Amino acid sequence: MHEALQQFIETRLPLIDQRLHELIMATNMPENLKKAMAYSVDAGGKRIRPLLVLATLQDIGKRSDDALTVACAVEMIHTYSLIHDDLPCMDDDDFRRGKPTNHKVFGEAVAVLAGDALQALAFRSLTELGSTPPEKAVAIMKLLGSASGAEGMVGGQILDMEGEDKQLSLEELETVHLNKTGALLSFCIEAGAILGDLDEKGSAQLRTYAKNIGLAFQIKDDILDITSTTEQLGKTAGSDTSSQKSTYPSLLGLEGAIERLEYHHQTAKEAIGFLGDDSSMLGMFADYIVERNS
Amino acid sequence: MHEALQQFIETRLPLIDQRLHELIMATNMPENLKKAMAYSVDAGGKRIRPLLVLATLQDIGKRSDDALTVACAVEMIHTYSLIHDDLPCMDDDDFRRGKPTNHKVFGEAVAVLAGDALQALAFRSLTELGSTPPEKAVAIMKLLGSASGAEGMVGGQILDMEGEDKQLSLEELETVHLNKTGALLSFCIEAGAILGDLDEKGSAQLRTYAKNIGLAFQIKDDILDITSTTEQLGKTAGSDTSSQKSTYPSLLGLEGAIERLEYHHQTAKEAIGFLGDDSSMLGMFADYIVERNS
């Protein structure tokens, strides 16, 4: 990882973690629900989505006191989706980020409700932006509603479920990922652009960047699943092959998948050429996504 | 039911049903998810929440082209909560409004996701109010976020679960209901007041009304559970007694519960005295809530 990116992440991560925790603690609710929500939110993870919001603003040279709240709202959406994804009726996972999953600790009913409450809190948090004009707040909430709902993340999860044990075409596989993970990643960049008053031309470039790093992220995940050990990944390697899931390597071969990864990496970087030299955080993020080992 | 109220409901119900259906159909999403969302939303029910939004505007003598959208947003929140409530890990219900529950038809995973997507669509719909200034839209979304989330409905569901098979005090029982059902009912009235530009004094009166009809509604439900037959109710009568749930009659006796019902009924009606004579829709709603037989 580029040193500048590492430094950026190291300074921002504690701010994100703290604000996330604060947003939950400041909400008046039953103790057990609060514990369940905080359990999953405080479990950490890479925080890629909130970091992308902050990196976008950094790159366009703007500041916003509300950036951290927007960053936390999208992380709450991401976290609620993981809690629901892990449920026995969905992926039935017992562990997440090395800790027992939410329903394993709090029971399924509380896990469903903790997820529901995190979604509500994400939207409510966006109604309390102190230094953003209301029309921009509405625009950001509209984007989040689309990116996280039936047209975006939730729709992608349905497509992903429907595609299991079925041979998808490359186009179908891309549609799954553009919805399931791409829509929320794009939200981060677009919300940053709105907060930073970026013009329409720049925003369109950032959308191209977002779409391409979203796909690159997924292709890299698929490649790591077959080239890494379980130890390196921190999760079971080779699980895609054993579950017969359609992946980029299964459709294109490993070589083909690596080529496609490089294509999306380059397209993403070209799209943000207007941000100038190599010091762009988003550029370094793109490099990190393709170079990471886990 | 008063004839004027009946007429009001008969003219508004088709509009609500149609707009709800349109909001889902206009959203671009996988076919199966759309079917699952439409299945529960189209299942009908009394539509008390959307009707309360419209009745509030009617009573304060204002019109808003966005009232129907706000009314549908709160019904989507209510519907998602029913879908999740019916899940095997929650109340495990097989039937709702005479039809198999969502997860019985579409499977549990799709039911979880259909609920999640309805919540997102509720908030997204509120970002598309055409004739409401953005600062009011933000205020309405903030209210909905609080009323539906951990501080409101979801928090109330947690309290309700925690209170099962336990003797609650009257105060604890009231807290459960004020959160579980009262918060969303209050939202309807408050959102109507915002759309109708009601002054703060009037809005405070309407909040008192909303709180009291919410409690009256619950007390009446508890009373009907022991005084009605299963046939009259359309659901199993006597289920509270058999499940040892804390209810108003179990805490106050049947006589005491009826007295309390009348107290909340009167308090609600007094609070909206400023709306004038007996032609107030909200007044008729209050009468209907205590007089109904199912």
PDB file of all heavy atoms in Angstrom, chain A residues 27-29 32 80 84 89 108 116 119-120 124 127-128 142 146 151 162, chain B residues 27-28 32 80 84 89 108 116 119-120 124 127-128 142 146 150-151 162:
ATOM      1  N   THR A  27     -28.377   7.345  20.584  1.00  0.00           N
ATOM      2  CA  THR A  27     -29.774   7.012  20.300  1.00  0.00           C
ATOM      3  C   THR A  27     -30.391   6.335  21.520  1.00  0.00           C
ATOM      4  O   THR A  27     -29.807   5.424  22.092  1.00  0.00           O
ATOM      5  CB  THR A  27     -29.842   6.079  19.067  1.00  0.00           C
ATOM      6  OG1 THR A  27     -29.095   6.672  18.009  1.00  0.00           O
ATOM      7  CG2 THR A  27     -31.278   5.891  18.613  1.00  0.00           C
ATOM      8  N   ASN A  28     -31.567   6.823  21.893  1.00  0.00           N
ATOM      9  CA  ASN A  28     -32.258   6.308  23.076  1.00  0.00           C
ATOM     10  C   ASN A  28     -33.026   5.036  22.718  1.00  0.00           C
ATOM     11  O   ASN A  28     -34.007   5.098  21.985  1.00  0.00           O
ATOM     12  CB  ASN A  28     -33.221   7.393  23.578  1.00  0.00           C
ATOM     13  CG  ASN A  28     -34.021   6.927  24.764  1.00  0.00           C
ATOM     14  OD1 ASN A  28     -33.573   6.071  25.529  1.00  0.00           O
ATOM     15  ND2 ASN A  28     -35.217   7.470  24.906  1.00  0.00           N
ATOM     16  N   MET A  29     -32.546   3.904  23.213  1.00  0.00           N
ATOM     17  CA  MET A  29     -33.185   2.632  22.836  1.00  0.00           C
ATOM     18  C   MET A  29     -32.930   1.577  23.893  1.00  0.00           C
ATOM     19  O   MET A  29     -32.078   1.751  24.760  1.00  0.00           O
ATOM     20  CB  MET A  29     -32.647   2.157  21.489  1.00  0.00           C
ATOM     21  CG  MET A  29     -31.165   1.804  21.517  1.00  0.00           C
ATOM     22  SD  MET A  29     -30.612   1.068  19.968  1.00  0.00           S
ATOM     23  CE  MET A  29     -29.424   2.285  19.414  1.00  0.00           C
ATOM     24  N   ASN A  32     -30.407  -3.914  25.143  1.00  0.00           N
ATOM     25  CA  ASN A  32     -29.988  -5.104  24.402  1.00  0.00           C
ATOM     26  C   ASN A  32     -29.889  -4.842  22.898  1.00  0.00           C
ATOM     27  O   ASN A  32     -29.013  -5.367  22.218  1.00  0.00           O
ATOM     28  CB  ASN A  32     -30.980  -6.252  24.676  1.00  0.00           C
ATOM     29  CG  ASN A  32     -30.367  -7.603  24.374  1.00  0.00           C
ATOM     30  OD1 ASN A  32     -29.195  -7.817  24.650  1.00  0.00           O
ATOM     31  ND2 ASN A  32     -31.156  -8.496  23.795  1.00  0.00           N
ATOM     32  N   TYR A  80     -25.686  -3.460   8.377  1.00  0.00           N
ATOM     33  CA  TYR A  80     -26.988  -4.126   8.490  1.00  0.00           C
ATOM     34  C   TYR A  80     -27.081  -5.251   7.459  1.00  0.00           C
ATOM     35  O   TYR A  80     -27.623  -6.328   7.738  1.00  0.00           O
ATOM     36  CB  TYR A  80     -28.145  -3.123   8.366  1.00  0.00           C
ATOM     37  CG  TYR A  80     -28.965  -3.203   7.100  1.00  0.00           C
ATOM     38  CD1 TYR A  80     -29.777  -4.305   6.834  1.00  0.00           C
ATOM     39  CD2 TYR A  80     -28.922  -2.192   6.140  1.00  0.00           C
ATOM     40  CE1 TYR A  80     -30.515  -4.392   5.647  1.00  0.00           C
ATOM     41  CE2 TYR A  80     -29.646  -2.273   4.965  1.00  0.00           C
ATOM     42  CZ  TYR A  80     -30.432  -3.380   4.731  1.00  0.00           C
ATOM     43  OH  TYR A  80     -31.151  -3.480   3.556  1.00  0.00           O
ATOM     44  N   HIS A  84     -27.882  -9.300   8.275  1.00  0.00           N
ATOM     45  CA  HIS A  84     -28.968 -10.067   7.652  1.00  0.00           C
ATOM     46  C   HIS A  84     -28.415 -11.186   6.749  1.00  0.00           C
ATOM     47  O   HIS A  84     -28.960 -12.281   6.712  1.00  0.00           O
ATOM     48  CB  HIS A  84     -29.900  -9.133   6.870  1.00  0.00           C
ATOM     49  CG  HIS A  84     -30.825  -8.339   7.752  1.00  0.00           C
ATOM     50  ND1 HIS A  84     -31.822  -7.527   7.275  1.00  0.00           N
ATOM     51  CD2 HIS A  84     -30.918  -8.245   9.107  1.00  0.00           C
ATOM     52  CE1 HIS A  84     -32.474  -6.964   8.288  1.00  0.00           C
ATOM     53  NE2 HIS A  84     -31.935  -7.374   9.400  1.00  0.00           N
ATOM     54  N   CYS A  89     -31.199 -18.274   7.539  1.00  0.00           N
ATOM     55  CA  CYS A  89     -32.006 -18.418   6.321  1.00  0.00           C
ATOM     56  C   CYS A  89     -31.311 -17.807   5.111  1.00  0.00           C
ATOM     57  O   CYS A  89     -31.775 -17.957   3.980  1.00  0.00           O
ATOM     58  CB  CYS A  89     -33.389 -17.784   6.508  1.00  0.00           C
ATOM     59  SG  CYS A  89     -33.366 -16.000   6.677  1.00  0.00           S
ATOM     60  N   GLU A 108     -31.541 -14.828  16.675  1.00  0.00           N
ATOM     61  CA  GLU A 108     -31.956 -14.407  15.336  1.00  0.00           C
ATOM     62  C   GLU A 108     -32.916 -13.221  15.344  1.00  0.00           C
ATOM     63  O   GLU A 108     -32.823 -12.318  14.519  1.00  0.00           O
ATOM     64  CB  GLU A 108     -32.652 -15.566  14.610  1.00  0.00           C
ATOM     65  CG  GLU A 108     -31.706 -16.631  14.120  1.00  0.00           C
ATOM     66  CD  GLU A 108     -32.467 -17.727  13.404  1.00  0.00           C
ATOM     67  OE1 GLU A 108     -33.251 -17.411  12.481  1.00  0.00           O
ATOM     68  OE2 GLU A 108     -32.292 -18.899  13.774  1.00  0.00           O
ATOM     69  N   ASP A 116     -32.514  -4.013  11.000  1.00  0.00           N
ATOM     70  CA  ASP A 116     -33.577  -3.063  10.637  1.00  0.00           C
ATOM     71  C   ASP A 116     -33.320  -1.687  11.245  1.00  0.00           C
ATOM     72  O   ASP A 116     -33.499  -0.649  10.595  1.00  0.00           O
ATOM     73  CB  ASP A 116     -34.935  -3.576  11.125  1.00  0.00           C
ATOM     74  CG  ASP A 116     -35.404  -4.807  10.355  1.00  0.00           C
ATOM     75  OD1 ASP A 116     -34.858  -5.077   9.263  1.00  0.00           O
ATOM     76  OD2 ASP A 116     -36.320  -5.497  10.836  1.00  0.00           O
ATOM     77  N   GLN A 119     -30.513   0.258   9.552  1.00  0.00           N
ATOM     78  CA  GLN A 119     -30.932   0.905   8.303  1.00  0.00           C
ATOM     79  C   GLN A 119     -31.663   2.218   8.609  1.00  0.00           C
ATOM     80  O   GLN A 119     -31.383   3.250   8.005  1.00  0.00           O
ATOM     81  CB  GLN A 119     -31.831  -0.005   7.451  1.00  0.00           C
ATOM     82  CG  GLN A 119     -32.221   0.689   6.159  1.00  0.00           C
ATOM     83  CD  GLN A 119     -32.986  -0.138   5.120  1.00  0.00           C
ATOM     84  OE1 GLN A 119     -33.270   0.380   4.052  1.00  0.00           O
ATOM     85  NE2 GLN A 119     -33.312  -1.383   5.388  1.00  0.00           N
ATOM     86  N   ALA A 120     -32.579   2.172   9.578  1.00  0.00           N
ATOM     87  CA  ALA A 120     -33.318   3.392   9.935  1.00  0.00           C
ATOM     88  C   ALA A 120     -32.366   4.471  10.449  1.00  0.00           C
ATOM     89  O   ALA A 120     -32.500   5.653  10.108  1.00  0.00           O
ATOM     90  CB  ALA A 120     -34.386   3.071  10.978  1.00  0.00           C
ATOM     91  N   ARG A 124     -31.749   8.268   9.249  1.00  0.00           N
ATOM     92  CA  ARG A 124     -31.982   9.350  10.198  1.00  0.00           C
ATOM     93  C   ARG A 124     -30.733  10.215  10.376  1.00  0.00           C
ATOM     94  O   ARG A 124     -30.811  11.447  10.491  1.00  0.00           O
ATOM     95  CB  ARG A 124     -32.437   8.808  11.567  1.00  0.00           C
ATOM     96  CG  ARG A 124     -33.338   9.799  12.279  1.00  0.00           C
ATOM     97  CD  ARG A 124     -33.177   9.764  13.790  1.00  0.00           C
ATOM     98  NE  ARG A 124     -31.804   9.943  14.203  1.00  0.00           N
ATOM     99  CZ  ARG A 124     -31.346   9.657  15.397  1.00  0.00           C
ATOM    100  NH1 ARG A 124     -32.148   9.132  16.284  1.00  0.00           N
ATOM    101  NH2 ARG A 124     -30.070   9.879  15.693  1.00  0.00           N
ATOM    102  N   THR A 127     -30.426  12.998   8.084  1.00  0.00           N
ATOM    103  CA  THR A 127     -31.335  14.134   8.250  1.00  0.00           C
ATOM    104  C   THR A 127     -30.759  15.147   9.236  1.00  0.00           C
ATOM    105  O   THR A 127     -31.393  16.157   9.515  1.00  0.00           O
ATOM    106  CB  THR A 127     -32.724  13.691   8.772  1.00  0.00           C
ATOM    107  OG1 THR A 127     -32.588  13.154  10.095  1.00  0.00           O
ATOM    108  CG2 THR A 127     -33.349  12.646   7.870  1.00  0.00           C
ATOM    109  N   GLU A 128     -29.578  14.843   9.768  1.00  0.00           N
ATOM    110  CA  GLU A 128     -29.003  15.736  10.782  1.00  0.00           C
ATOM    111  C   GLU A 128     -27.659  16.308  10.352  1.00  0.00           C
ATOM    112  O   GLU A 128     -26.775  16.541  11.179  1.00  0.00           O
ATOM    113  CB  GLU A 128     -28.873  14.969  12.109  1.00  0.00           C
ATOM    114  CG  GLU A 128     -30.244  14.722  12.729  1.00  0.00           C
ATOM    115  CD  GLU A 128     -30.203  13.795  13.937  1.00  0.00           C
ATOM    116  OE1 GLU A 128     -29.270  12.998  14.064  1.00  0.00           O
ATOM    117  OE2 GLU A 128     -31.142  13.890  14.754  1.00  0.00           O
ATOM    118  N   LYS A 142     -31.557  10.267  -1.371  1.00  0.00           N
ATOM    119  CA  LYS A 142     -32.143   9.625  -2.558  1.00  0.00           C
ATOM    120  C   LYS A 142     -31.160   8.616  -3.156  1.00  0.00           C
ATOM    121  O   LYS A 142     -31.524   7.478  -3.472  1.00  0.00           O
ATOM    122  CB  LYS A 142     -32.518  10.688  -3.593  1.00  0.00           C
ATOM    123  CG  LYS A 142     -33.159  10.129  -4.835  1.00  0.00           C
ATOM    124  CD  LYS A 142     -33.652  11.243  -5.744  1.00  0.00           C
ATOM    125  CE  LYS A 142     -34.194  10.658  -7.034  1.00  0.00           C
ATOM    126  NZ  LYS A 142     -35.002  11.607  -7.792  1.00  0.00           N
ATOM    127  N   SER A 146     -31.643   4.459  -3.301  1.00  0.00           N
ATOM    128  CA  SER A 146     -31.535   3.654  -4.525  1.00  0.00           C
ATOM    129  C   SER A 146     -30.394   2.644  -4.425  1.00  0.00           C
ATOM    130  O   SER A 146     -30.547   1.482  -4.785  1.00  0.00           O
ATOM    131  CB  SER A 146     -31.295   4.561  -5.737  1.00  0.00           C
ATOM    132  OG  SER A 146     -32.411   5.397  -5.932  1.00  0.00           O
ATOM    133  N   GLU A 151     -33.224  -1.537  -6.061  1.00  0.00           N
ATOM    134  CA  GLU A 151     -32.539  -1.207  -7.318  1.00  0.00           C
ATOM    135  C   GLU A 151     -31.035  -1.385  -7.208  1.00  0.00           C
ATOM    136  O   GLU A 151     -30.313  -1.255  -8.186  1.00  0.00           O
ATOM    137  CB  GLU A 151     -32.781   0.259  -7.681  1.00  0.00           C
ATOM    138  CG  GLU A 151     -34.204   0.613  -7.914  1.00  0.00           C
ATOM    139  CD  GLU A 151     -34.374   2.123  -7.861  1.00  0.00           C
ATOM    140  OE1 GLU A 151     -34.271   2.710  -6.761  1.00  0.00           O
ATOM    141  OE2 GLU A 151     -34.610   2.708  -8.924  1.00  0.00           O
ATOM    142  N   GLU A 162     -30.220 -16.103  -6.729  1.00  0.00           N
ATOM    143  CA  GLU A 162     -30.818 -16.800  -7.870  1.00  0.00           C
ATOM    144  C   GLU A 162     -29.757 -17.419  -8.781  1.00  0.00           C
ATOM    145  O   GLU A 162     -30.021 -18.373  -9.506  1.00  0.00           O
ATOM    146  CB  GLU A 162     -31.701 -15.834  -8.683  1.00  0.00           C
ATOM    147  CG  GLU A 162     -32.968 -15.429  -7.938  1.00  0.00           C
ATOM    148  CD  GLU A 162     -33.815 -14.420  -8.694  1.00  0.00           C
ATOM    149  OE1 GLU A 162     -33.335 -13.840  -9.699  1.00  0.00           O
ATOM    150  OE2 GLU A 162     -34.959 -14.192  -8.271  1.00  0.00           O
TER     151      GLU A 162
ATOM    152  N   THR B  27     -40.150   0.843  -9.632  1.00  0.00           N
ATOM    153  CA  THR B  27     -38.765   0.609  -9.215  1.00  0.00           C
ATOM    154  C   THR B  27     -38.179  -0.544 -10.021  1.00  0.00           C
ATOM    155  O   THR B  27     -38.798  -1.589 -10.156  1.00  0.00           O
ATOM    156  CB  THR B  27     -38.732   0.289  -7.707  1.00  0.00           C
ATOM    157  OG1 THR B  27     -39.445   1.309  -7.016  1.00  0.00           O
ATOM    158  CG2 THR B  27     -37.310   0.255  -7.194  1.00  0.00           C
ATOM    159  N   ASN B  28     -36.986  -0.299 -10.574  1.00  0.00           N
ATOM    160  CA  ASN B  28     -36.318  -1.285 -11.416  1.00  0.00           C
ATOM    161  C   ASN B  28     -35.611  -2.317 -10.535  1.00  0.00           C
ATOM    162  O   ASN B  28     -34.621  -1.998  -9.887  1.00  0.00           O
ATOM    163  CB  ASN B  28     -35.309  -0.558 -12.315  1.00  0.00           C
ATOM    164  CG  ASN B  28     -34.545  -1.502 -13.182  1.00  0.00           C
ATOM    165  OD1 ASN B  28     -35.027  -2.583 -13.519  1.00  0.00           O
ATOM    166  ND2 ASN B  28     -33.323  -1.121 -13.537  1.00  0.00           N
ATOM    167  N   ASN B  32     -38.586 -11.342  -8.977  1.00  0.00           N
ATOM    168  CA  ASN B  32     -39.038 -12.093  -7.810  1.00  0.00           C
ATOM    169  C   ASN B  32     -39.113 -11.212  -6.557  1.00  0.00           C
ATOM    170  O   ASN B  32     -40.007 -11.354  -5.723  1.00  0.00           O
ATOM    171  CB  ASN B  32     -38.090 -13.282  -7.560  1.00  0.00           C
ATOM    172  CG  ASN B  32     -38.741 -14.353  -6.721  1.00  0.00           C
ATOM    173  OD1 ASN B  32     -39.931 -14.630  -6.887  1.00  0.00           O
ATOM    174  ND2 ASN B  32     -37.976 -14.945  -5.827  1.00  0.00           N
ATOM    175  N   TYR B  80     -43.137  -3.654   5.977  1.00  0.00           N
ATOM    176  CA  TYR B  80     -41.861  -4.362   6.170  1.00  0.00           C
ATOM    177  C   TYR B  80     -41.791  -4.938   7.578  1.00  0.00           C
ATOM    178  O   TYR B  80     -41.304  -6.055   7.791  1.00  0.00           O
ATOM    179  CB  TYR B  80     -40.652  -3.451   5.864  1.00  0.00           C
ATOM    180  CG  TYR B  80     -39.841  -3.012   7.059  1.00  0.00           C
ATOM    181  CD1 TYR B  80     -39.056  -3.912   7.777  1.00  0.00           C
ATOM    182  CD2 TYR B  80     -39.845  -1.683   7.490  1.00  0.00           C
ATOM    183  CE1 TYR B  80     -38.328  -3.511   8.894  1.00  0.00           C
ATOM    184  CE2 TYR B  80     -39.130  -1.282   8.582  1.00  0.00           C
ATOM    185  CZ  TYR B  80     -38.363  -2.193   9.292  1.00  0.00           C
ATOM    186  OH  TYR B  80     -37.655  -1.808  10.399  1.00  0.00           O
ATOM    187  N   HIS B  84     -41.163  -8.956   8.572  1.00  0.00           N
ATOM    188  CA  HIS B  84     -40.104  -9.431   9.474  1.00  0.00           C
ATOM    189  C   HIS B  84     -40.690 -10.036  10.755  1.00  0.00           C
ATOM    190  O   HIS B  84     -40.183 -11.028  11.265  1.00  0.00           O
ATOM    191  CB  HIS B  84     -39.129  -8.295   9.784  1.00  0.00           C
ATOM    192  CG  HIS B  84     -38.177  -7.990   8.661  1.00  0.00           C
ATOM    193  ND1 HIS B  84     -37.147  -7.082   8.748  1.00  0.00           N
ATOM    194  CD2 HIS B  84     -38.110  -8.494   7.390  1.00  0.00           C
ATOM    195  CE1 HIS B  84     -36.489  -7.037   7.597  1.00  0.00           C
ATOM    196  NE2 HIS B  84     -37.058  -7.871   6.763  1.00  0.00           N
ATOM    197  N   CYS B  89     -38.186 -16.904  13.057  1.00  0.00           N
ATOM    198  CA  CYS B  89     -37.367 -16.535  14.226  1.00  0.00           C
ATOM    199  C   CYS B  89     -38.038 -15.444  15.058  1.00  0.00           C
ATOM    200  O   CYS B  89     -37.575 -15.135  16.158  1.00  0.00           O
ATOM    201  CB  CYS B  89     -35.975 -16.095  13.802  1.00  0.00           C
ATOM    202  SG  CYS B  89     -35.934 -14.552  12.894  1.00  0.00           S
ATOM    203  N   GLU B 108     -37.790 -17.673   3.339  1.00  0.00           N
ATOM    204  CA  GLU B 108     -37.349 -16.729   4.375  1.00  0.00           C
ATOM    205  C   GLU B 108     -36.347 -15.700   3.878  1.00  0.00           C
ATOM    206  O   GLU B 108     -36.413 -14.527   4.239  1.00  0.00           O
ATOM    207  CB  GLU B 108     -36.694 -17.497   5.530  1.00  0.00           C
ATOM    208  CG  GLU B 108     -37.678 -18.201   6.422  1.00  0.00           C
ATOM    209  CD  GLU B 108     -36.950 -18.940   7.532  1.00  0.00           C
ATOM    210  OE1 GLU B 108     -36.143 -18.301   8.229  1.00  0.00           O
ATOM    211  OE2 GLU B 108     -37.172 -20.143   7.687  1.00  0.00           O
ATOM    212  N   ASP B 116     -36.357  -5.511   3.897  1.00  0.00           N
ATOM    213  CA  ASP B 116     -35.251  -4.541   3.834  1.00  0.00           C
ATOM    214  C   ASP B 116     -35.467  -3.547   2.700  1.00  0.00           C
ATOM    215  O   ASP B 116     -35.244  -2.338   2.858  1.00  0.00           O
ATOM    216  CB  ASP B 116     -33.920  -5.274   3.615  1.00  0.00           C
ATOM    217  CG  ASP B 116     -33.490  -6.075   4.839  1.00  0.00           C
ATOM    218  OD1 ASP B 116     -34.040  -5.850   5.932  1.00  0.00           O
ATOM    219  OD2 ASP B 116     -32.596  -6.929   4.697  1.00  0.00           O
ATOM    220  N   GLN B 119     -38.185  -0.963   3.390  1.00  0.00           N
ATOM    221  CA  GLN B 119     -37.727   0.145   4.240  1.00  0.00           C
ATOM    222  C   GLN B 119     -36.957   1.170   3.417  1.00  0.00           C
ATOM    223  O   GLN B 119     -37.189   2.376   3.514  1.00  0.00           O
ATOM    224  CB  GLN B 119     -36.862  -0.354   5.411  1.00  0.00           C
ATOM    225  CG  GLN B 119     -36.410   0.805   6.273  1.00  0.00           C
ATOM    226  CD  GLN B 119     -35.689   0.477   7.577  1.00  0.00           C
ATOM    227  OE1 GLN B 119     -35.375   1.383   8.340  1.00  0.00           O
ATOM    228  NE2 GLN B 119     -35.421  -0.774   7.866  1.00  0.00           N
ATOM    229  N   ALA B 120     -36.043   0.679   2.564  1.00  0.00           N
ATOM    230  CA  ALA B 120     -35.262   1.605   1.733  1.00  0.00           C
ATOM    231  C   ALA B 120     -36.177   2.395   0.797  1.00  0.00           C
ATOM    232  O   ALA B 120     -35.996   3.605   0.604  1.00  0.00           O
ATOM    233  CB  ALA B 120     -34.218   0.826   0.924  1.00  0.00           C
ATOM    234  N   ARG B 124     -36.635   6.370   0.273  1.00  0.00           N
ATOM    235  CA  ARG B 124     -36.370   6.941  -1.049  1.00  0.00           C
ATOM    236  C   ARG B 124     -37.586   7.682  -1.583  1.00  0.00           C
ATOM    237  O   ARG B 124     -37.460   8.740  -2.192  1.00  0.00           O
ATOM    238  CB  ARG B 124     -35.940   5.858  -2.036  1.00  0.00           C
ATOM    239  CG  ARG B 124     -35.012   6.417  -3.111  1.00  0.00           C
ATOM    240  CD  ARG B 124     -35.199   5.745  -4.446  1.00  0.00           C
ATOM    241  NE  ARG B 124     -36.554   5.797  -4.922  1.00  0.00           N
ATOM    242  CZ  ARG B 124     -37.036   5.055  -5.905  1.00  0.00           C
ATOM    243  NH1 ARG B 124     -36.265   4.163  -6.480  1.00  0.00           N
ATOM    244  NH2 ARG B 124     -38.293   5.187  -6.283  1.00  0.00           N
ATOM    245  N   THR B 127     -37.771  11.193  -0.684  1.00  0.00           N
ATOM    246  CA  THR B 127     -36.816  12.116  -1.309  1.00  0.00           C
ATOM    247  C   THR B 127     -37.365  12.650  -2.635  1.00  0.00           C
ATOM    248  O   THR B 127     -36.691  13.410  -3.312  1.00  0.00           O
ATOM    249  CB  THR B 127     -35.454  11.439  -1.589  1.00  0.00           C
ATOM    250  OG1 THR B 127     -35.638  10.397  -2.566  1.00  0.00           O
ATOM    251  CG2 THR B 127     -34.859  10.859  -0.322  1.00  0.00           C
ATOM    252  N   GLU B 128     -38.551  12.184  -3.008  1.00  0.00           N
ATOM    253  CA  GLU B 128     -39.104  12.585  -4.309  1.00  0.00           C
ATOM    254  C   GLU B 128     -40.417  13.343  -4.167  1.00  0.00           C
ATOM    255  O   GLU B 128     -41.296  13.236  -5.023  1.00  0.00           O
ATOM    256  CB  GLU B 128     -39.274  11.339  -5.195  1.00  0.00           C
ATOM    257  CG  GLU B 128     -37.926  10.784  -5.635  1.00  0.00           C
ATOM    258  CD  GLU B 128     -38.010   9.451  -6.345  1.00  0.00           C
ATOM    259  OE1 GLU B 128     -38.973   8.701  -6.100  1.00  0.00           O
ATOM    260  OE2 GLU B 128     -37.100   9.162  -7.138  1.00  0.00           O
ATOM    261  N   LYS B 142     -36.664  12.703   9.051  1.00  0.00           N
ATOM    262  CA  LYS B 142     -36.089  12.593  10.395  1.00  0.00           C
ATOM    263  C   LYS B 142     -37.102  11.980  11.358  1.00  0.00           C
ATOM    264  O   LYS B 142     -36.783  11.076  12.133  1.00  0.00           O
ATOM    265  CB  LYS B 142     -35.667  13.985  10.882  1.00  0.00           C
ATOM    266  CG  LYS B 142     -35.037  13.981  12.254  1.00  0.00           C
ATOM    267  CD  LYS B 142     -34.478  15.343  12.599  1.00  0.00           C
ATOM    268  CE  LYS B 142     -33.959  15.343  14.025  1.00  0.00           C
ATOM    269  NZ  LYS B 142     -33.102  16.498  14.304  1.00  0.00           N
ATOM    270  N   SER B 146     -36.780   8.242  13.242  1.00  0.00           N
ATOM    271  CA  SER B 146     -36.907   8.042  14.684  1.00  0.00           C
ATOM    272  C   SER B 146     -38.079   7.136  15.017  1.00  0.00           C
ATOM    273  O   SER B 146     -37.973   6.226  15.839  1.00  0.00           O
ATOM    274  CB  SER B 146     -37.091   9.387  15.396  1.00  0.00           C
ATOM    275  OG  SER B 146     -35.952  10.187  15.213  1.00  0.00           O
ATOM    276  N   ALA B 150     -34.761   2.333  16.151  1.00  0.00           N
ATOM    277  CA  ALA B 150     -34.452   1.852  17.498  1.00  0.00           C
ATOM    278  C   ALA B 150     -35.154   2.664  18.576  1.00  0.00           C
ATOM    279  O   ALA B 150     -35.487   2.148  19.646  1.00  0.00           O
ATOM    280  CB  ALA B 150     -32.935   1.914  17.712  1.00  0.00           C
ATOM    281  N   GLU B 151     -35.411   3.937  18.291  1.00  0.00           N
ATOM    282  CA  GLU B 151     -36.072   4.796  19.284  1.00  0.00           C
ATOM    283  C   GLU B 151     -37.582   4.652  19.249  1.00  0.00           C
ATOM    284  O   GLU B 151     -38.286   5.214  20.086  1.00  0.00           O
ATOM    285  CB  GLU B 151     -35.764   6.274  18.998  1.00  0.00           C
ATOM    286  CG  GLU B 151     -34.325   6.631  19.062  1.00  0.00           C
ATOM    287  CD  GLU B 151     -34.097   7.969  18.363  1.00  0.00           C
ATOM    288  OE1 GLU B 151     -34.190   8.018  17.118  1.00  0.00           O
ATOM    289  OE2 GLU B 151     -33.857   8.958  19.068  1.00  0.00           O
ATOM    290  N   GLU B 162     -38.957  -8.839  25.050  1.00  0.00           N
ATOM    291  CA  GLU B 162     -38.379  -9.003  26.388  1.00  0.00           C
ATOM    292  C   GLU B 162     -39.461  -9.135  27.459  1.00  0.00           C
ATOM    293  O   GLU B 162     -39.232  -9.694  28.530  1.00  0.00           O
ATOM    294  CB  GLU B 162     -37.452  -7.818  26.716  1.00  0.00           C
ATOM    295  CG  GLU B 162     -36.172  -7.822  25.889  1.00  0.00           C
ATOM    296  CD  GLU B 162     -35.288  -6.606  26.138  1.00  0.00           C
ATOM    297  OE1 GLU B 162     -35.736  -5.653  26.824  1.00  0.00           O
ATOM    298  OE2 GLU B 162     -34.147  -6.605  25.656  1.00  0.00           O
TER     299      GLU B 162
END
